[in-house]
Amino acid sequence: MKFGIVVFPGSNCDRDMQDALQNDLGKEVIMLWHKDEDLSMFTTDDCIVLPGGFSYGDYLRCGAIARFSPMMKSVIAFAEKGGKVLGVCNGFQILCESHLLPGVLLPNAHQQFVCNNSYIINSTGGKALKIPVAHGDGRYFASDELLDELEANDQVIFRYCDSLGTIDKQFNPNGSLRNIAGIRNKQGNVFGMMPHPERASSSSLSNVDGLDVFRILGMN
Amino acid sequence: MTYNVQIKVMPLKDLLDPQGKAVMGGLKNLGLGGIEDVRIGKHITLQIEAESEDAAKALADEASKKLLANPVMEFYEIEMIN
């Protein structure tokens, strides 16, 4: 399984993601420029990553303009063919704006940029994972009907919790509905999450919980 | 003919608007009483070359739907200026 990382103007986690995938997970990585559109070197066993940052300056709405870049058209087609796509932070926002994932990321309820370690837990249980968050617009929002549907289809992959795995509003860094930190699409090939696993995948960073995130997503 | 179109994009009424809430606090600190709610949106102007006002409005509507507003979180109103 190899990875492609899309670089938009304003991406700033693309090199962190490249470093984590290459050096911590030992994967082949190809960097992709937003103005290109060639994904012919990838098969549906591979994964395209939309990294964090502030694509197109977050103008209009986070991720709204990136959606219409040439590379995103190819990424949308790749996802529709069943290829894996992972969006982290701004990448998650782009996936929502592209309608590859349902819902939207709104400004944090407390109106502050949040930058610290948060704990998240996978829907199937396991241990709480300490993963950094760094965002101003991470409040996941969708209608109640859609949230019920996401839960019924097991599409909520990560929720904010404490270090023991207790899911509660007080451990939610942005006011997201139902403590949602990450979701996947119905088909199970498109994943979006606000926390940054690439910032927690190396012992030199004193935190390797991010490796568990990649494992849960089937990308290790 | 050139048409000037104004588009007002506002957060949906049911949604918490943290920016509006923060400004509301500022207005209170300013000592201005009587303001009960603040909501903040965007004002977008488009200059459109089209054959008719209806065509210009339809184009503005398509632009709003596809990019300028996100119906999951916002609603929009289009106003023709000339």
Side-chain angles (χ1 to χ4, degrees), chain B:
Chain B
M1 188 168 164
T2 303
Y3 295 90
N4 289 305
V5 184
Q6 289 189 358
I7 301 168
K8 186 175 86 176
V9 182
M10 292 297 293
L12 290 178
K13 293 200 163 67
D14 298 342
L15 278 187
L16 167 73
D17 174 16
Q19 198 180 181
K21 222 173 164 184
V23 170
M24 176 93 187
L27 290 170
K28 259 194 192 133
N29 291 342
L30 195 63
L32 294 177
I35 300 172
E36 289 180 355
D37 192 28
V38 180
R39 295 186 75 75
I40 295 179
K42 301 184 187 91
H43 182 109
I44 301 167
T45 62
L46 302 180
Q47 200 173 314
I48 297 178
E49 189 63 40
E51 284 183 1
S52 67
E53 185 172 322
D54 282 351
K57 200 170 177 183
L59 193 62
D61 192 57
E62 192 184 351
S64 303
K65 238 181 226 134
K66 288 189 174 164
L67 177 61
L68 304 179
N70 181 339
V72 181
M73 58 195 269
E74 296 162 328
F75 68 96
Y76 63 89
E77 287 166 10
I78 295 173
E79 197 188 333
M80 309 299 290
I81 299 306
N82 36 350

Side-chain angles (χ1 to χ4, degrees), chain A residues 24-61:
Chain A
D24 304 330
L25 280 102
K27 301 292 184 185
E28 182 188 345
V29 177
I30 300 169
M31 302 304 278
L32 304 165
W33 184 234
H34 68 109
K35 282 189 175 168
D36 296 332
E37 47 191 47
D38 183 17
L39 289 180
S40 61
M41 60 292 238
F42 296 97
T43 72
T44 49
D45 292 333
D46 298 327
C47 179
I48 305 297
V49 181
L50 308 182
F54 301 85
S55 59
Y56 296 87
D58 273 356
Y59 293 157
L60 199 60
R61 295 178 308 278

Side-chain angles (χ1 to χ4, degrees), chain A residues 172-185:
Chain A
N172 183 333
N174 51 42
S176 67
L177 293 181
R178 304 191 192 182
N179 270 37
I180 288 174
I183 60 168
R184 64 171 175 81
N185 66 346

